[in-house]
Amino acid sequence: MTETTYYAVYHAPVEKRLVGYLYIEPKRHAESWQELTGEEQAELPGLIARLENMLYKEIRAERVYTLSVGETVRHLHLHLIPRCSGVLLEGLELIQRAAGPEGTGQPVSEADIRQFIAKIKPEL
């Protein structure tokens, strides 16, 4: 979707069933926060803030959950999981369902995700 100096940002697959669910990961392999260089650490907060602001603005997110798990994939990456009005799931239930294999169960298509990406691309 987009890249910065040290990070790649991309949308979660359609199977997650959540428009605006984003991943941020370092371009180089790192398994933990302590492995990030000072420059990588310095870039991350601003990137997260920009993406969160964009989610609040463009899809009217009411909340954006930001987390790192790293159990399945041994590579540091962040999940930005938005919660919008009309979504019946919230908090840990939304996070578990979105991050899990079955997704949120919402009616989301590839076209919905492509439309979202086209809308936000100029802001990235």
Side-chain angles (χ1 to χ4, degrees), residues 27-85:
K27 289 181 181 179
R28 68 175 190 86
H29 181 70
E31 291 188 14
S32 67
W33 295 97
Q34 68 184 6
E35 295 178 16
L36 296 178
T37 66
E39 293 84 6
E40 290 166 331
Q41 290 174 9
E43 185 181 78
L44 193 54
L47 176 58
I48 293 169
R50 273 199 338 266
L51 293 169
E52 281 189 354
N53 287 335
M54 181 265 314
L55 290 168
Y56 285 117
K57 177 183 169 193
E58 297 299 336
I59 62 171
R60 294 180 175 77
E62 293 181 345
R63 181 92 171 134
V64 178
Y65 304 106
T66 305
L67 66 140
S68 175
V69 182
E71 286 298 320
T72 305
V73 178
R74 301 284 302 173
H75 181 73
L76 180 65
H77 59 284
L78 298 174
H79 300 248
L80 272 63
I81 302 174
R83 177 176 51 80
C84 299
S85 67

Side-chain angles (χ1 to χ4, degrees), residues 80-93:
L80 272 63
I81 302 174
R83 177 176 51 80
C84 299
S85 67
V87 175
L88 300 177
L89 305 171
E90 62 181 40
L92 287 176
E93 185 178 9

